[in-house]
Amino acid sequence: MTTILVTRPHGDTDPMVSALEAAGYRVHAVPTVATQALEFDRPDLARYDWIIVTSAAGVDALKEFPSPPRGEGQGEGLKLGPRSMWAAVGPATARALRAAGVEPALVPEESNGLALANALPDVQGKRVLLVRASAGSADLPRRLRERGATVDEVAAYLTVEGPASAAEPLKAALADPELAAVVFASGSAVRGHIALGGNTSVPAITIGPRTTKVAKQLGFNVIAEAETQSVEALAAAVVTAIPIQEKNRA
């Protein structure tokens, strides 16, 4: 049976896993990257014109804080007054916001920080809060500042490459004789794979150019790249690159 290794952070609960299983693949879900919450002083969200979250982990970090009483600018959960608007870097982050009761005002067509920075409207003179990983790319805040925004950054979580808990599951997945490809959705996941002792002999399918660049630099043969940075496009890239064997459907 054609088998795919998915390295995204949420393991068996990741939507990529269910999408591939629905298409007829067997999936090894082994997170080669994880997130670890960091302590930080919660900013007064009501002070900002835009609040940007770059992952579901950032949404979760903000949800951990109790809301101030009504009348102090926030209301229930993550909801704000009329001045502040939320932006999500991509569909998965947008879903996390909606699950928290917030409808994002902006989700860029391409799921990356630079696309979000360019898509945010009328930022000249606006105050922007960026909630993200401690080692996030500089592209997003730099571009917003170039466009005239005042940007405050909050490191809400740490990206852990190669969590120890994934070592044995990864070893077992790579030993599967029917493993056809490994899926990477970030450069961190690629580096985590290597840190855990994973080899580069399995063809790789990636979510976008940056991940492809890291994978190639580390020795992977990248056989496909998603057309857009989304779960749907990444799953479609797998289906195109690794056609399902008819015996899988039996």
Side-chain angles (χ1 to χ4, degrees), residues 155-230:
Y157 59 95
L158 176 70
T159 299
V160 179
E161 297 178 357
S165 60
E168 287 304 316
L170 179 62
K171 183 178 179 180
L174 293 174
D176 186 337
E178 297 191 60
L179 183 63
V182 56
V183 174
F184 294 118
S186 69
S188 295
V190 183
R191 290 188 293 268
H193 176 99
I194 299 298
L196 289 165
N199 59 52
T200 60
S201 61
V202 181
I205 298 171
T206 69
I207 200 166
R210 290 188 179 184
T211 308
T212 295
K213 181 179 179 180
V214 174
K216 288 183 175 179
Q217 287 175 338
L218 292 177
F220 281 95
N221 174 28
V222 178
I223 59 173
E225 180 182 291
E227 292 186 1
T228 61
Q229 296 188 46
S230 67

Side-chain angles (χ1 to χ4, degrees), residues 60-222:
D60 290 341
L62 287 176
K63 283 165 56 181
E64 291 299 315
F65 289 83
S67 301
R70 289 184 178 276
E72 294 186 13
Q74 182 153 338
E76 297 179 351
L78 298 179
K79 296 180 181 179
L80 299 174
R83 179 185 173 211
S84 301
M85 292 184 288
W86 293 81
V89 75
T93 308
R95 284 193 292 269
L97 276 176
R98 293 185 182 108
V102 175
E103 181 61 35
L106 177 70
V107 184
E109 291 185 6
E110 294 185 32
S111 301
N112 64 72
L114 191 57
L116 177 54
N118 287 324
L120 213 66
D122 304 323
V123 296
Q124 176 72 37
K126 298 296 177 62
R127 193 173 184 90
V128 178
L129 177 66
L130 174 57
V131 182
R132 62 177 187 159
S134 60
S137 169
D139 288 352
L140 173 53
R142 182 176 60 237
R143 179 58 181 145
L144 288 172
R145 291 179 179 121
E146 288 174 352
R147 295 185 60 205
T150 297
V151 182
D152 292 338
E153 300 180 55
V154 168
Y157 59 95
L158 176 70
T159 299
V160 179
E161 297 178 357
S165 60
E168 287 304 316
L170 179 62
K171 183 178 179 180
L174 293 174
D176 186 337
E178 297 191 60
L179 183 63
V182 56
V183 174
F184 294 118
S186 69
S188 295
V190 183
R191 290 188 293 268
H193 176 99
I194 299 298
L196 289 165
N199 59 52
T200 60
S201 61
V202 181
I205 298 171
T206 69
I207 200 166
R210 290 188 179 184
T211 308
T212 295
K213 181 179 179 180
V214 174
K216 288 183 175 179
Q217 287 175 338
L218 292 177
F220 281 95
N221 174 28
V222 178

Side-chain angles (χ1 to χ4, degrees), residues 15-110:
M16 183 74 191
V17 173
S18 56
L20 291 178
E21 288 178 341
Y25 298 92
R26 183 171 67 217
V27 178
H28 292 290
V30 182
T32 60
V33 62
T35 59
Q36 178 181 325
L38 297 175
E39 292 187 4
F40 62 95
D41 293 329
R42 179 183 172 124
D44 179 1
L45 302 184
R47 296 174 55 211
Y48 295 93
D49 299 288
W50 283 95
I51 300 161
I52 297 174
V53 282
T54 61
S55 71
V59 178
D60 290 341
L62 287 176
K63 283 165 56 181
E64 291 299 315
F65 289 83
S67 301
R70 289 184 178 276
E72 294 186 13
Q74 182 153 338
E76 297 179 351
L78 298 179
K79 296 180 181 179
L80 299 174
R83 179 185 173 211
S84 301
M85 292 184 288
W86 293 81
V89 75
T93 308
R95 284 193 292 269
L97 276 176
R98 293 185 182 108
V102 175
E103 181 61 35
L106 177 70
V107 184
E109 291 185 6
E110 294 185 32

